[in-house]
Amino acid sequence: VLPDRGTVRWGATVPGALPEHQRDRWRGQHIGFVFQDFQLFPELEALENVLLPATFTGWRIPEALIRRGRGLLEQMHVCPTRKVRALSRGEKQRVAIARAVLLKPGIILADEPTGNLDANNAWEIMKLMEEINEQGTTVVVVTHNLEIVKAMNKRVITMQKGVVVDDTASDHYGKDTSVEQDDDLFDDFLDDGGDDDYAD
């Protein structure tokens, strides 16, 4: 979908000015998406779902990328060969996040990524988002959950009817330290230790 007005720039690139096939490939390489309802194919295996962005770019999937996808899932305690329909909600969201970071995008857009999860799974997912951010990826999370906003202690942009009404550091809301944290769970999530050259 192209904007009604204005221009979106990514460095020197204007994605909207690219031909459609190039725009789709560009998007697949630079932006990762995480959805509230997971957007996974239930009859495919976890690894098959994770590798989908590579198929959209038009590449032949190289072995290094397959190894990375498998490694991401194993670090997240999800069996790569399990069918998605057999996974819990928390496991499905981890698969979705592994898919989003597979190609090491510069930005991840997450729309209510904890909306279908219980409190413990929601916290683990948000800690994972924080780990990804600390590795240098910009992470934009849309949420209506003020407890998550308080717990993460990040920049907060508040919108009403599509208009920004507040842009402030989240300490404006007060930090919530009441949630038990497991900071070691995803320490090595993005460290694949392998070849980063995925395009043949």
Side-chain angles (χ1 to χ4, degrees):
V1 178
L2 297 177
D4 296 327
R5 62 181 183 273
T7 301
V8 175
R9 294 183 181 274
W10 184 284
T13 301
V14 180
L18 298 173
E20 185 173 358
H21 69 284
Q22 292 183 19
R23 189 165 63 243
D24 290 343
R25 180 169 181 164
W26 181 93
R27 186 185 303 118
Q29 291 177 276
H30 294 282
I31 304 176
F33 296 93
V34 180
F35 305 94
Q36 178 178 353
D37 56 354
F38 317 128
Q39 294 293 312
L40 301 172
F41 290 89
E43 296 306 316
L44 296 183
E45 296 176 355
L47 180 59
E48 291 173 320
N49 273 275
V50 169
L51 293 175
L52 283 173
T55 65
F56 295 151
T57 64
W59 298 346
R60 178 179 63 82
I61 304 177
E63 185 59 35
L65 195 59
I66 296 173
R67 288 197 303 270
R68 172 169 165 77
R70 186 179 293 113
L72 291 172
L73 288 170
E74 289 172 350
Q75 289 172 32
M76 299 187 75
H77 312 297
V78 177
C79 176
T81 58
R82 286 190 71 192
K83 299 283 189 182
V84 164
R85 57 178 163 74
L87 301 178
S88 69
R89 288 179 179 270
E91 289 171 326
K92 288 176 181 176
Q93 196 59 294
R94 294 178 189 181
V95 172
I97 293 173
R99 177 186 60 191
V101 302
L102 178 72
L103 300 180
K104 297 187 176 181
I107 185 169
I108 290 179
L109 305 178
D111 182 16
E112 295 281 1
T114 63
N116 285 322
L117 305 177
D118 61 32
N120 288 334
N121 274 312
W123 178 246
E124 288 188 359
I125 292 301
M126 292 309 299
K127 288 302 296 179
L128 176 53
M129 292 292 188
E130 186 172 51
E131 293 285 342
I132 293 169
N133 177 240
E134 289 172 355
Q135 293 289 333
T137 301
T138 297
V139 179
V140 179
V141 176
V142 176
T143 182
H144 293 89
N145 190 325
L146 185 57
E147 292 304 309
I148 287 177
V149 171
K150 291 163 61 179
M152 298 311 295
N153 199 31
K154 301 291 184 181
R155 177 184 178 186
V156 178
I157 297 174
T158 304
M159 299 184 71
Q160 292 180 356
K161 298 181 179 179
V163 177
V164 174
V165 297
D166 189 31
D167 184 350
T168 183
S170 66
D171 56 10
H172 171 77
Y173 297 90
K175 177 144 181 157
D176 181 0
T177 57
S178 64
V179 184
E180 182 178 351
Q181 302 182 18
D182 184 359
D183 294 332
D184 298 327
L185 185 57
F186 303 115
D187 281 348
D188 300 321
F189 179 70
L190 294 181
D191 181 14
D192 60 41
D195 186 2
D196 290 346
D197 186 11
Y198 302 136
D200 285 351

